[in-house]
Each structure stands twice: as structure tokens, then as C-alpha cells.
Amino acid sequence: MVSCPVCGLPLPYDCRCYRTKEERLDAYLKQLARELELVKRVINGYRPAVELVFFNGKGQELKRERCTASVVEVDDFEYELRVRVRGARDSAGVEMILYGVDGQILFRRRVMGWFPGEVEVEWYIGVPREVTVAHKRRKCL
């Protein structure tokens, strides 16, 4: 699920930067279109940037590293992006940021945990062939 470019929370459900449901849905659709643009560029050889920000228990930044992702084709329109970096000693978590082709934030996720050694991040983008289980359940009702 794409993130709000302002607060970084998942759209359209968790973000509260927009006043109405319609505004949140519009922001979601814009970010979704940016994800599809990224997929189109990846098909043509583009390698997106991923940034990892390690922080301590007080939320202070310990280390920031931006790198180019390697790309593995999962299906015709679905790709796995991978980055591998060395974490930070005394880290309590990491924030992972995937940038779109325009250099703006597309996805932002924060994970709590201890990351002193090598960290490998895998990110899936694209149009999955399968519909979600929740969607299948709703369709059956």
C-alpha cells in the first residue's frame, strides 16, 4: 500500500493529512499512479532508490544510507526490489523509504527491532496477478 507523501503513513486508511475520504482517496490514486510509473520505468531498466534510516530507542537518527535497489522480476508486471546495507550499532528500528522516479517518497515504512549487522530489505511493487483473499471473500458474499 502506498504512503502519504506528507506524513508517510499508508494511504488511504491511516493517513489523516487530508480532511475528507475523497481527498484521501485522490491522494491514494495519485500515489498508485506513481507506483505504476515506477513499474513502467523498471521494465525499461530503471533502478529505484531506497533509503534506510536507523534510529535509537529515543528516535534519534544513528545512520542514513541511500542506495540503488537491485531488481528481480517476479511476474510480467511485478518486481522485487532488494537492498543490502550494514545496520547501526544500538539501533532500535529502521525507517525504509522507497522513492518514485520523480525523487519523491512513494512508500515509507518503520520497523522496530535491533539491526546492528547486515540488513536486507525486499520490497514488492507492481500489479499482482492474484486478487487478495479479502477481495475474494467480499466477492463471494
Side-chain angles (χ1 to χ4, degrees):
M1 192 162 279
V2 292
S3 299
C4 171
V6 178
C7 69
L9 293 173
L11 280 167
Y13 294 103
D14 296 341
C15 168
R16 295 292 177 245
C17 295
Y18 305 93
R19 288 184 230 177
T20 67
K21 286 184 178 180
E22 291 83 8
E23 289 174 340
R24 284 199 314 257
L25 188 59
D26 283 343
Y28 170 75
L29 292 172
K30 286 178 186 173
Q31 290 292 82
L32 194 58
R34 290 181 61 235
E35 180 186 7
L36 294 176
E37 180 62 31
L38 179 62
V39 170
K40 187 166 65 171
R41 295 282 296 273
V42 165
I43 289 171
N44 292 312
Y46 179 77
R47 301 296 173 250
V50 175
E51 187 170 42
L52 286 94
V53 182
F54 297 90
F55 53 90
N56 64 16
K58 296 177 183 177
Q60 297 167 320
E61 185 178 316
L62 299 173
K63 179 180 179 181
R64 178 180 296 260
E65 191 161 340
R66 188 171 177 154
C67 44
T68 302
S70 63
V71 176
V72 176
E73 185 174 359
V74 176
D75 203 346
D76 288 340
F77 303 100
E78 196 172 0
Y79 295 88
E80 179 183 88
L81 309 176
R82 294 180 187 166
V83 295
R84 188 177 295 178
V85 299
R86 173 136 326 264
R89 192 169 70 183
D90 299 327
S91 65
V94 63
E95 184 173 66
M96 302 166 288
I97 304 166
L98 174 64
Y99 291 91
V101 295
D102 57 2
Q104 300 298 312
I105 293 172
L106 186 58
F107 294 97
R108 176 184 280 162
R109 296 292 178 266
R110 186 173 269 214
V111 178
M112 301 306 287
W114 190 54
F115 302 100
E118 192 170 279
V119 177
E120 185 169 340
V121 174
E122 296 175 350
W123 221 307
Y124 289 89
I125 62 167
V127 183
R129 202 176 279 271
E130 297 282 324
V131 293
T132 65
V133 175
H135 179 71
K136 285 182 184 178
R137 272 193 233 130
R138 277 189 234 122
K139 197 172 182 181
C140 293
L141 296 176

